Amino acid sequence: MTSTLTYFGFHCYANHHYPTELAMNGTQMSNEHATQIPSVGMVDTKLEVVIIPVSDVDRAKRFYGNLGWRLDADFAFDNGFRVVQFTPPGSGCSIQFGTNITSAAPGSVQGLYLIVSEIEAARDELVARGATISEVFHAGTPGAQFQRETSGRLSGPAPDRASYRTFASFSDPDGNGWLLQEIKTRLPGRGLSSSDVATLTALLRETEERHGKYEPTAPKHHWSAWYAAYIVARERGRTPEEAVDDAALHMKSAQ
């Protein structure tokens, strides 16, 4: 997948769907506020998996595989239970579907967000991979992105091209609905990574070691660019060897 798909970042950040602007433009705002709890000492609780109800497991597996999502697991058991897991590139959250895994009706899950940094490029790639996807649009009325009717959707990106306000939508074969949402700059306080300190430390050490082997024979370059390309590749599920290749290609293209 291209670097524009920061994306398929079905990133599981709490409350990232609704920017402040939408609340301010509404005709009514709730005066209820979430209780502010000090973050010191809180245990990380990371959203890991979302269950997708499907009627045909193999058909769904082909669909999500064709999107370029990473297949993490496909386990079947003698009692009829089967679980398939995919992770979108760049995402810290995965999806699962299978048999005897949920009682929800196939196609009943809607409004699943996939965050992208360049929505036209992301849409073009999905089309190239066989997905049927809407045109790029912005909401003419609040909540229009969630409606099956398209009357409240206005063609093209938001006029000011502000983050959180431009969308495209598609569905899997059962009708489970996905939304691409373009975010170029996050609102203050929103994280860009869910990595904990221990994980990031280990990744940086691995990156340092791999870069040490690359540097003696490489053209003159700044280590930070190579590190960035390597880390992004690893976060997207690439092996260390593949990440080295990706970083080298990035440096070559940047020359």
Side-chain angles (χ1 to χ4, degrees), residues 2-248:
T2 67
S3 59
T4 57
L5 308 189
T6 311
Y7 140 63
F8 256 60
F10 185 34
H11 285 309
C12 299
Y13 299 126
N15 302 322
H16 78 278
H17 299 166
Y18 303 102
T20 304
E21 305 93 282
L22 293 184
M24 293 177 66
N25 291 336
T27 57
Q28 182 176 344
M29 292 181 63
S30 171
N31 59 4
E32 294 185 13
H33 300 281
T35 302
Q36 298 299 310
I37 301 174
S39 61
V40 177
M42 290 185 66
V43 176
D44 286 348
T45 51
K46 301 175 182 178
L47 183 59
E48 184 77 9
V49 172
V50 172
I51 303 299
I52 307 297
V54 304
S55 59
D56 186 324
V57 178
D58 290 320
R59 181 178 66 176
K61 182 179 178 180
R62 288 191 299 272
F63 176 80
Y64 288 106
N66 288 339
L67 294 185
W69 296 19
R70 185 183 74 231
L71 176 63
D72 298 321
D74 184 352
F75 299 129
F77 300 87
D78 292 340
N79 65 353
F81 174 68
R82 179 182 176 188
V83 58
V84 178
Q85 178 171 309
F86 279 94
T87 301
S91 177
C93 189
S94 304
I95 63 166
Q96 288 183 356
F97 52 84
T99 53
N100 297 333
I101 195 172
T102 178
S103 60
S108 61
V109 172
Q110 301 295 317
L112 295 167
Y113 275 70
L114 297 170
I115 304 309
V116 301
S117 57
E118 296 289 345
I119 198 164
E120 287 90 352
R123 181 187 180 280
D124 289 346
E125 183 162 334
L126 284 169
V127 170
R129 289 182 174 276
T132 300
I133 187 167
S134 76
E135 66 173 351
V136 171
F137 68 90
H138 60 285
T141 56
Q145 68 269 32
F146 297 110
Q147 307 304 317
R148 290 184 180 274
E149 303 80 16
T150 60
S151 57
R153 299 181 177 185
L154 301 181
S155 180
D160 57 1
R161 207 57 190 258
S163 291
Y164 300 94
R165 298 183 62 187
T166 298
F167 305 90
S169 62
F170 69 97
S171 299
D172 70 9
D174 284 287
N176 294 301
W178 295 89
L179 278 171
L180 296 187
Q181 182 187 45
E182 185 176 76
I183 300 179
K184 294 180 178 293
T185 304
R186 288 187 176 275
L187 293 174
R190 307 300 173 92
L192 295 177
S193 174
S194 59
S195 296
D196 55 49
V197 173
T199 300
L200 184 56
T201 298
L203 180 55
L204 284 169
R205 287 174 178 168
E206 175 189 307
T207 307
E208 180 183 24
E209 178 184 357
R210 296 283 175 167
H211 181 256
K213 296 177 181 179
Y214 166 82
E215 189 172 32
T217 59
K220 185 177 181 181
H221 65 282
H222 198 285
W223 66 268
S224 59
W226 194 96
Y227 269 48
Y230 182 92
I231 289 172
V232 167
R234 291 289 281 135
E235 288 181 337
R236 290 179 175 173
R238 303 282 280 172
T239 66
E241 292 74 18
E242 291 170 338
V244 167
D245 292 339
D246 288 355

